[in-house]
Amino acid sequence: MRITPCQAALAAAITLNLLFLLCSRLSPGGSPQCRGVPRGVPGGVPGVTVILRDSRDPEQDLEGTARSFSSLPGLPVLVVSEEAPYPPVTLPAGVTVLSLRPQPHRSAPRPELAVLTRHVALVPDGARAVPGLLRHMRDVLEATADGTVRVVAAAVGDVRPNCLDLEVDVKAWTARYSHQSDHKERNGHKSDHKSDHKERNGHKSDHNQQSDHNDHRSGHNDHQAVRCGALDGAPVVLLLRSRDLFSLPFPLSTPVVTSLSIQASLRGWRLLLLPDSFPLSPRPPSSPHSLWKSQTLREQQHRALMEEFGLKLEELPDGRRRWHGCAKDTPRCFGTVRSQTPEYLLAGRWTPPCCLQALRVTARHVLAELDSAGVRHWLEGGSLLGAVRLGDIIPWDYDVDVGLYLQDVPKCRWLAAVVTTGQPVEDPQGFFWEKASEGEFFRVHFSRTNRLHVDLWPFFPDGRGMMTKETWLGHGQDVEFPERFLQPLGSVLFAGLVAKAPNSPREFLEFKFGPGAVERPQYPNPGLRRLEQDLGTG
């Protein structure tokens, strides 16, 4: 049976790991200095492994990039891909291809077993090697006193990437990027850079013993390095410790820089951007079709990464917002809500921001339709709570509740059509009006496909001065209330407009939810999940 280079590399890596494990078990004190394992370098040799992540771009320069870096003596180069690189490329001898796609007839992919060095460099397509620069990046990382710096970066080409701050709010499904002050980031850590220089000089003899690189003389001052939360706008080489890379849940997801930036932010890591750079290979001008294909591929990879990471909104440094989810033609981001507790709440998350935005759009549309038709209506339940507290939807709510007078239902053409035909109605803006299957009330969905909705509850006077309705769902606040709260109607700010509301909102809410309802927010079913668990206060 013919053994492929990939299988041979994996077999060798597994064998070495088993030998190291055996050595550690047999040696006294559990800290052996086994033959072949250098001192001070647990789990590998004191060098750098280059990983080229196949981008699947039809105009990739994978062969040229692999050839350039593999030409440096003693530098292992791995090409990592979901499957064999395509279009097919001729890779230099010694370059190993590792597949990430599991297959039932092979062992599970374990790319970390093929990395025997203490450090790994993630190199983008088109980069060209510079003798000694990877070693220099490694030395800077090891000499940096601030333990938060776990990644060292160097640009590829003449364009320097943007150095950004990044905050990832898992609970809000949001990544927030912002510009940072390079001056502050540089000057705030001068002592670290001086320490870097001192450490490098102190280990000069060790470096001279390495045969895998020539000396790197960039002429740059390391004081020009800046600490970043994320990088954007230009390709970069990223160098980090192998154990740090493979401790991440998504170590080789693409786009690589975005993926690592997000995972680093969640761990409090920083990226140190050096003034040095790698050359970018010149390429002939691309055809418009090729440019379109490349751009489409990058967008697809970015969307897939956001889906994988559970991020629905990116707030960009220039103030723009990039949404991932909740279009008219996509299903909503969560399933059926049970026990008043949506699935995301049990995971310690609040309503996805794209869902909140779709709810706002739907609510504004419905309230405008009711207003124009002369239907008496008001915000109900949790929606009124959100309006009084925030002027918006409660961050963990999953629908909008509106009460209306039953006798006014025929005034709204869409509700009248639903009552008359017994069938749902789609209005010209794509909102979907229907009678709820649970009882005598109505729902207006964001679209026929996306079932984010506004519930319309028809109330009527019972002749005793109370407002009642036909359907009760057993919620604590689902009770009759005095009609005096609606005579006359008041108003509140809600979701970007002035909405109709009971004339004494606070008193109305305390009548329904109990004293202190406005000041003491809680989840709808505290028995399943309490707000204090997610705020860290209980």
Side-chain angles (χ1 to χ4, degrees), residues 439-473:
E440 299 302 315
F441 65 101
F442 302 94
R443 280 198 170 123
V444 186
H445 301 271
F446 184 48
S447 72
R448 185 186 294 268
T449 302
N450 194 321
R451 309 297 274 186
L452 289 161
H453 59 262
V454 173
D455 282 336
L456 299 176
W457 301 96
F459 284 84
F460 56 90
D462 69 353
R464 300 178 294 109
M466 300 293 286
M467 295 294 288
T468 190
K469 58 187 175 80
E470 296 290 346
T471 298
W472 306 94
L473 298 183

Side-chain angles (χ1 to χ4, degrees), residues 24 146 400:
S24 64
D146 184 356
V400 172

Side-chain angles (χ1 to χ4, degrees), residues 476-504:
Q477 75 276 12
D478 201 11
V479 297
E480 297 177 342
F481 61 90
E483 190 178 10
R484 63 179 172 82
F485 284 116
L486 308 178
Q487 295 178 342
L489 284 167
S491 62
V492 290
L493 292 174
F494 180 70
L497 52 72
V498 177
K500 298 289 196 312
N503 52 44
S504 181

Side-chain angles (χ1 to χ4, degrees), residues 92 103 123 125 132 178 182 212 267 300 336-337 447 475 482 485 508:
Q103 298 187 42
V123 175
D125 183 61
S178 59
D182 287 357
D212 54 350
R267 288 157 178 77
Q300 289 173 344
T336 301
V337 177
S447 72
H475 301 168
F485 284 116
F508 181 85

Side-chain angles (χ1 to χ4, degrees), residues 88-99:
V89 294
T90 303
L91 296 173
V95 173
T96 304
V97 178
L98 298 179
S99 172

Side-chain angles (χ1 to χ4, degrees), residues 250-462:
F250 304 96
L252 297 171
S253 291
T254 55
V256 170
V257 177
T258 304
S259 172
L260 279 184
S261 294
I262 290 171
Q263 294 179 85
S265 174
L266 289 168
R267 288 157 178 77
W269 299 358
R270 302 289 282 173
L271 292 76
L272 185 67
L273 177 60
L274 300 182
D276 312 273
S277 63
F278 292 84
L280 179 65
S281 65
R283 300 188 186 184
S286 299
S287 68
H289 182 67
S290 295
L291 289 173
W292 172 81
K293 289 183 70 173
S294 297
Q295 179 64 26
T296 300
L297 177 63
R298 286 193 293 270
E299 291 174 356
Q300 289 173 344
Q301 290 179 333
H302 190 87
R303 283 196 301 270
L305 183 71
M306 295 300 104
E307 179 69 23
E308 192 172 38
F309 284 8
L311 294 174
K312 301 295 183 182
L313 172 62
E314 293 177 282
E315 297 181 351
L316 305 180
D318 60 5
R320 289 183 298 119
R321 291 184 162 194
R322 192 155 53 198
W323 297 94
H324 303 284
C326 291
K328 287 273 190 181
D329 58 351
T330 62
R332 73 181 186 183
C333 306
F334 55 94
T336 301
V337 177
R338 305 182 188 278
S339 302
Q340 303 180 67
T341 306
E343 189 176 24
Y344 56 78
L345 210 56
L346 292 178
R349 290 186 151 196
W350 289 353
T351 311
C354 55
C355 296
L356 290 174
Q357 183 66 4
L359 281 174
R360 293 185 190 103
V361 171
T362 307
R364 288 194 287 262
H365 177 75
V366 171
L367 294 177
E369 289 288 329
L370 297 178
D371 261 335
S372 64
V375 175
R376 291 169 291 173
H377 64 279
W378 60 94
L379 291 180
E380 264 286 346
S383 299
L384 182 61
L385 263 176
V388 173
R389 284 184 192 146
L390 309 166
D392 201 356
I393 300 169
I394 291 174
W396 52 84
D397 212 350
Y398 48 86
D399 62 10
V400 172
D401 292 309
V402 176
L404 51 81
Y405 272 84
L406 176 62
Q407 67 195 76
D408 289 354
V409 166
K411 295 181 179 179
C412 175
R413 55 178 172 165
W414 310 117
L415 294 178
V418 170
V419 172
T420 302
T421 65
Q423 298 298 316
V425 175
E426 186 174 14
D427 68 25
Q429 286 74 41
F431 296 92
F432 197 67
W433 302 65
E434 68 175 4
K435 182 180 177 295
S437 59
E438 297 95 324
E440 299 302 315
F441 65 101
F442 302 94
R443 280 198 170 123
V444 186
H445 301 271
F446 184 48
S447 72
R448 185 186 294 268
T449 302
N450 194 321
R451 309 297 274 186
L452 289 161
H453 59 262
V454 173
D455 282 336
L456 299 176
W457 301 96
F459 284 84
F460 56 90
D462 69 353

